[in-house]
Amino acid sequence: MVEADSLVKRFGEVIAVDNLSFHIEKNEVLGFLGPNGAGKTTTMRMLTGYFTPTSGEVHVNGVDMVENPREAKRFIGYLPEHPPLYPDMTVKEYLRFVAELHGVKKIRERLDYVQKVCSLSPVWNRLISQISKGFCQRVGLAKAIVHNPSVIVLDEPTIGLDPEQIIETRNLIKSLGEEHSVILSTHILSEANMTCDRVMIINRGKLVGEGTPERLSEELQSKRNIALIVGREIDKSLFSGIPVEIQKQEKLDDKFRLELSFPAEDDLCPELARRITEAGISLYQMQEKKPTLEEIFLSLVKEVL
Amino acid sequence: MRGIGAIYRREINSYFTSPVAYVIITAFLFIAGFIFYNLLSYFALQCIQSVRYAQLYHTVPPPMNINTWVVTPFMQNLAFTFIIIIPLLTMRLFAEEKRQGTMEMLLTAPVSSWEIILGKFLAATTVFLVMLALTFIYQVMLIIYGKPDIPPVLGGYLGIFLFGLALIALGMFISSLTKNQIVAAFISIVLFLFLWIINWSSIFTTRTAIQDTLSYLSITEHLREFIKGVVDTKSLVFFLSLTFLGLFLTDKSLQIWRWKG
Ligand SMILES: Nc1ncnc2c1ncn2[C@@H]1O[C@H](COP(=O)(O)OP(=O)(O)OP(=O)(O)O)[C@@H](O)[C@H]1O
Ligand SMILES: [Mg+2]
């Protein structure tokens, strides 16, 4: 659906995006993750044809964004970082204008659709200058999908929404991802975890990690963490000869909770279980502790710094 | 084409849903009416005085020409008024889009920058035409109650129309350079005043090449031809090229915006 090939964007001395290549499949939700100033917005602006890349190419459905922008932009629905709204229009007028700009045929139907899925009924005929920030964000989302684009680009779509709306919006994004390709950017890692099929971690304009949220946690973690619940206290000597470290040990009523870590290369789980049971200690639970996306993110970003 | 229509309608709505357009049009009509009233009164006074004078000295009163006394100065003053009024129409065209962040939606919509530019240009031109048409009522009154020479009236209106197109295109270009409407209006007014008086300094030089260039660049000179009732191709081409230059520069300015953000 979208192919980005060695995208670079410079602003004078600043290199905002540095040789970024990626692609998005049909019906995929791709998340851009990165700290402030990472270049997420700049990348999206190049994808949507707002910024001309300093070098590199963007193809949408095989159409080159720089060569044939008018055609390529038809496939894209874009919600910028700041929803681009006209304060002197009503919500309905605004969305109608967007639909006209995109040459939508059945405007009535599409307006009804976005009014419903973005819950805009309460403000439908209000002036945009008079509606709250959260509603502005929802109007922006409606703007991005009103022409039923095949690629939806959302720059921090849940910012400024209340918790209920955040959940609704994430669900909406997920359901949009069933029929469209979606690219979204966010700082909220759990959001990427929940909504995205694939995540790209960007820092200082460069790609520092990529994969499904699960795979990222596995691949990028050099150590595995295991949590155990056992019958009595365990001494370090039990693990002599194998590279296991005891991170934490605490008493839980009559049992003990233990956190162990070992290098990811060799799977020591069966060996651990054997040693514990052979020492006559009862093993109640053994669980892999997956690092959260937060932890991976921080470790990746730190590596680069 | 689709884009031109959508953008044109939005601009027209935005002119007329806010009080701004009405305030500008009212102010303009007041000033144009004031100019017209004073010119006409002065003309009437002159007529009466010349008749008195003739009676006193038992001569035939000299012929009084309404074109020289009313039509020509009215046209010139009207054009001058537009130097102030047109920047008020064009100042928001792009500056406001940049300030509001709506530029990002226009430039990512599947329309070319020419569609955006022409949509906006035509909308401002429409408001300008409404103003110009309303002042035509004064000319109709003159034609009913006096006997002005018609070609200068029509030529003058054609000239002011072309002059307006050029100012709108240039004003729009200036609006595309800044996020601040007031700055855009101010720079436009300064530029237009300069084009209005550019040939004044030609009296300080005897080099005909310089004099010719200055008078070619002077909008006043070209307008004068039209107000005489002469449709000179040179002047026609001048105003149309200036208009095209404004549109072209606006397009370049949008391209630069895509580079620099
Ligand atoms: N128009 C511009 N002119 C100059 N520098 C810019 C411009 N736009 C962005 N930058 C710079 O490019 C870098 C990337 O900015 P960008 O807005 O893409 O980051 P981001 O990942 O979206 O950050 P955030 O999470 O804060 O939204 C920053 O260093 C920023 O200062
Ligand atoms: Mg951003």
Side-chain angles (χ1 to χ4, degrees):
Chain A
M1 293 303 290
V2 178
E3 297 273 347
D5 189 23
S6 354
L7 283 180
V8 176
K9 184 71 185 175
R10 284 169 175 272
F11 297 106
E13 287 296 292
V14 181
I15 304 181
V17 175
D18 193 359
N19 203 12
L20 211 57
S21 300
F22 56 92
H23 63 99
I24 304 133
E25 299 299 327
K26 204 164 184 293
N27 307 347
E28 186 185 27
V29 182
L30 172 67
F32 282 170
L33 215 57
N36 290 127
K40 304 181 293 294
T41 300
T42 308
T43 307
M44 290 185 153
R45 286 176 164 177
M46 288 191 282
L47 286 185
T48 54
Y50 181 58
F51 279 169
T52 314
T54 307
S55 67
E57 287 178 6
V58 173
H59 291 266
V60 187
N61 272 342
V63 184
D64 190 307
M65 182 55 86
V66 174
E67 306 266 294
N68 196 351
R70 208 167 173 283
E71 188 62 25
K73 286 172 189 170
R74 297 171 67 96
F75 303 117
I76 294 184
Y78 177 37
L79 167 65
E81 196 163 31
H82 308 286
L85 308 176
Y86 292 97
D88 60 349
M89 294 174 108
T90 66
V91 172
K92 182 182 166 186
E93 283 168 354
Y94 172 72
L95 292 172
R96 172 174 289 274
F97 169 57
V98 175
E100 281 175 7
L101 266 188
H102 283 88
V104 173
K105 295 268 158 34
K106 294 175 179 167
I107 291 188
R108 257 297 228 336
E109 256 172 50
R110 291 303 298 174
L111 288 185
D112 288 344
Y113 169 77
V114 294
Q115 180 181 14
K116 202 170 101 252
V117 300
C118 300
S119 331
L120 288 173
S121 306
V123 295
W124 195 242
N125 286 307
R126 297 260 298 276
L127 277 181
I128 290 175
S129 60
Q130 294 169 0
I131 66 179
S132 69
K133 171 122 181 19
F135 271 111
C136 284
Q137 190 69 21
R138 287 195 234 170
V139 176
L141 197 61
K143 177 249 162 210
I145 60 177
V146 69
H147 53 290
N148 200 11
S150 41
V151 181
I152 301 171
V153 180
L154 307 170
D155 201 347
E156 301 186 20
T158 55
I159 214 160
L161 298 179
D162 63 41
E164 196 188 330
Q165 270 302 314
I166 289 182
I167 293 170
E168 264 178 49
T169 306
R170 284 177 188 162
N171 290 338
L172 176 61
I173 292 171
K174 269 193 174 168
S175 68
L176 287 172
E178 282 159 20
E179 284 173 41
H180 310 254
S181 306
V182 182
I183 308 174
L184 60 89
S185 77
T186 177
H187 300 122
I188 311 167
L189 304 140
S190 54
E191 178 164 288
N193 219 345
M194 267 183 270
T195 46
C196 301
D197 301 317
R198 194 154 57 93
V199 178
M200 286 177 51
I201 300 180
I202 300 173
N203 193 33
R204 300 193 166 183
K206 287 198 170 79
L207 184 68
V208 292
E210 186 185 0
T212 60
E214 298 82 36
R215 227 189 69 197
L216 269 183
S217 348
E218 278 167 23
E219 274 192 9
L220 295 163
Q221 199 66 4
S222 52
K223 283 194 168 157
R224 285 176 70 182
N225 291 301
I226 305 283
L228 305 168
I229 293 181
V230 290
R232 69 176 151 85
E233 202 164 358
I234 287 180
D235 189 66
K236 242 176 91 182
S237 59
L238 187 63
F239 304 128
S240 59
I242 50 173
V244 172
E245 277 173 47
I246 300 179
Q247 301 286 0
K248 223 160 74 181
Q249 179 144 216
E250 60 194 6
K251 201 168 158 35
L252 299 171
D253 299 328
D254 54 336
K255 301 187 184 92
F256 280 85
R257 188 170 179 282
L258 206 60
E259 274 180 28
L260 301 177
S261 72
F262 53 83
E265 301 93 76
D266 25 27
D267 191 353
L268 292 175
C269 291
E271 174 70 12
L272 283 176
R274 198 179 54 77
R275 287 196 185 198
I276 291 168
T277 40
E278 274 178 8
I281 303 167
S282 29
L283 178 61
Y284 295 97
Q285 236 184 59
M286 188 163 183
Q287 198 177 35
E288 174 126 27
K289 237 187 99 212
K290 294 242 165 130
T292 61
L293 214 46
E294 259 90 354
E295 289 163 337
I296 300 168
F297 175 71
L298 285 177
S299 72
L300 279 173
V301 168
K302 274 207 199 93
E303 258 169 48
V304 177
L305 294 174
Chain B
M1 275 318 286
R2 173 186 79 235
I4 298 182
I7 287 170
Y8 175 81
R9 281 192 295 280
R10 203 208 78 75
E11 289 294 332
I12 289 287
N13 278 335
S14 134
Y15 274 125
F16 288 102
T17 50
S18 73
V20 178
Y22 299 103
V23 171
I24 295 176
I25 292 178
T26 312
F28 168 75
L29 286 180
F30 172 75
I31 291 183
F34 190 74
I35 294 169
F36 184 72
Y37 170 79
N38 281 289
L39 287 171
L40 204 60
S41 308
Y42 191 60
F43 176 64
L45 193 69
Q46 291 291 319
C47 287
I48 293 164
Q49 276 181 353
S50 74
V51 169
R52 287 251 181 85
Y53 189 84
Q55 279 173 346
L56 212 60
Y57 294 95
H58 304 286
T59 55
V60 185
M64 295 290 292
N65 187 331
I66 195 166
N67 276 81
T68 0
W69 286 92
V70 182
V71 176
T72 306
F74 177 71
M75 297 288 182
Q76 260 153 5
N77 284 298
L78 194 64
F80 188 78
T81 312
F82 278 125
I83 283 189
I84 315 289
I85 295 292
I86 285 179
L88 301 182
L89 289 180
T90 56
M91 63 181 185
R92 44 175 288 286
L93 287 176
F94 281 101
E96 189 66 357
E97 304 272 4
K98 285 188 171 185
R99 195 189 58 77
Q100 276 169 188
T102 41
M103 197 74 156
E104 197 160 357
M105 88 155 258
L106 286 184
L107 295 187
T108 55
V111 295
S112 66
S113 38
W114 280 105
E115 289 170 89
I116 302 171
I117 292 169
L118 288 177
K120 285 174 176 285
F121 175 73
L122 292 177
T125 302
T126 306
V127 181
F128 164 67
L129 270 180
V130 168
M131 290 197 246
L132 198 58
L134 288 172
T135 66
F136 202 72
I137 296 168
Y138 305 138
Q139 310 305 320
V140 173
M141 277 159 57
L142 275 192
I143 292 168
I144 295 172
Y145 296 107
K147 286 195 183 55
D149 220 4
I150 302 292
V153 174
L154 296 182
Y157 267 82
L158 177 63
I160 293 178
F161 170 66
L162 292 168
F163 159 86
L165 292 187
L167 296 201
I168 291 171
L170 293 173
M172 179 166 70
F173 164 60
I174 291 165
S175 170
S176 76
L177 297 176
T178 168
K179 287 185 183 179
N180 188 324
Q181 294 190 49
I182 308 299
V183 170
F186 182 75
I187 296 176
S188 305
I189 292 175
V190 171
L191 173 73
F192 298 165
L193 281 176
F194 181 66
L195 286 176
W196 186 260
I197 59 174
I198 195 169
N199 64 330
W200 285 12
S201 58
S202 65
I203 55 168
F204 300 120
T205 172
T206 47
R207 302 262 301 275
T208 46
I210 296 178
Q211 281 180 344
D212 286 352
T213 319
L214 288 179
S215 77
Y216 182 71
L217 287 177
S218 158
I219 41 185
T220 351
E221 299 275 323
H222 292 283
L223 209 50
R224 192 171 297 145
E225 294 298 310
F226 281 101
I227 297 173
K228 276 188 212 153
V230 185
V231 180
D232 182 7
T233 17
K234 197 180 81 182
S235 301
L236 195 80
V237 168
F238 172 77
F239 283 127
L240 290 179
S241 339
L242 215 52
T243 308
F244 187 74
L245 179 71
L247 298 177
F248 175 79
L249 290 176
T250 313
D251 184 51
K252 286 286 162 257
S253 162
L254 294 190
Q255 276 177 27
I256 291 173
W257 178 259
R258 282 185 199 278
W259 272 102
K260 296 175 81 178

